Amino acid sequence: MKKMIFITCMLTAIFAKLSAQAVIADPAVNLMRTVSTTASPVNPLLIPVDSIIELKIPVINYNLTNSLPSGSCKVKIGLGSKMILYPGFNLNTVNTSNYFSWTSEMTGGQLQITGDLIANLPGNFLDTVTLQVKGSILGNSTITTNFLVTNHNTSINLSDENGTNNNTSLAYTIIER
């Protein structure tokens, strides 16, 4: 009897996985840029230590019709070893918070900011994630951003129609004030 229940549960799980809906869309990120808090361009190779700047990261779904399903993607932003979030900045105020739940943690010597997709991201979507950051240590480093298909919390399997546009990087230098 126990074997029969186990086999039934296994077959149900396999059938559910095979019958999961599939969606093809195109999550992407584009070139990052740095600006002052008054929106003036800031050269990323000349960021004064302790100055507050805004990091702008375009987040896109290039597919014209298909949404990115909630729970299928994450955006991961690594600030490199010389930069941190401005302490007064609240991740709950990020302009894309109606689609992503933003968190941060120190990982491997850098601050990692993660946006977990919590609502369907519409087809033909373009918005810019804006974070307030500041240089904390003199020197060179690189910001990396990846828009990852994870299918971590959904019964819909997302396939990426163009995996070559899912990451971007920006080299920067923190200099004396």
Side-chain angles (χ1 to χ4, degrees), residues 88-106:
F89 184 71
N90 181 348
L91 283 171
N92 293 324
T93 65
V94 174
N95 54 321
T96 55
S97 290
N98 50 335
Y99 294 107
F100 294 92
S101 174
W102 295 98
T103 58
S104 67
E105 68 178 338
M106 286 300 287

Side-chain angles (χ1 to χ4, degrees), residues 34-164:
T34 51
V35 299
S36 69
T37 55
T38 60
S40 301
V42 171
N43 182 341
L45 300 176
L46 300 171
I47 299 173
V49 69
D50 290 328
S51 66
I52 303 164
I53 63 166
E54 290 186 347
L55 176 62
K56 305 269 189 183
I57 307 166
V59 175
I60 307 158
N61 177 6
Y62 279 123
N63 189 286
L64 298 178
T65 55
N66 292 339
S67 297
L68 302 176
S70 170
S72 66
C73 298
K74 292 184 181 199
V75 174
K76 292 203 170 222
I77 305 162
L79 292 184
S81 60
K82 313 291 184 205
M83 191 175 283
I84 60 172
L85 273 176
Y86 172 62
F89 184 71
N90 181 348
L91 283 171
N92 293 324
T93 65
V94 174
N95 54 321
T96 55
S97 290
N98 50 335
Y99 294 107
F100 294 92
S101 174
W102 295 98
T103 58
S104 67
E105 68 178 338
M106 286 300 287
T107 304
Q110 73 171 333
L111 187 67
Q112 181 86 38
I113 301 163
T114 302
D116 187 10
L117 187 62
I118 57 169
N120 291 352
L121 196 67
N124 201 29
F125 178 88
L126 169 61
D127 201 351
T128 302
V129 173
T130 301
L131 305 170
Q132 285 190 340
V133 296
K134 72 175 196 163
S136 60
I137 301 171
L138 299 178
N140 304 317
S141 196
T142 303
I143 301 166
T144 57
T145 299
N146 297 289
F147 202 155
L148 306 169
V149 174
T150 56
N151 289 319
H152 62 283
N153 193 20
T154 181
S155 60
I156 300 171
N157 291 318
L158 175 64
S159 293
D160 188 353
E161 56 192 4
N162 181 2
T164 64

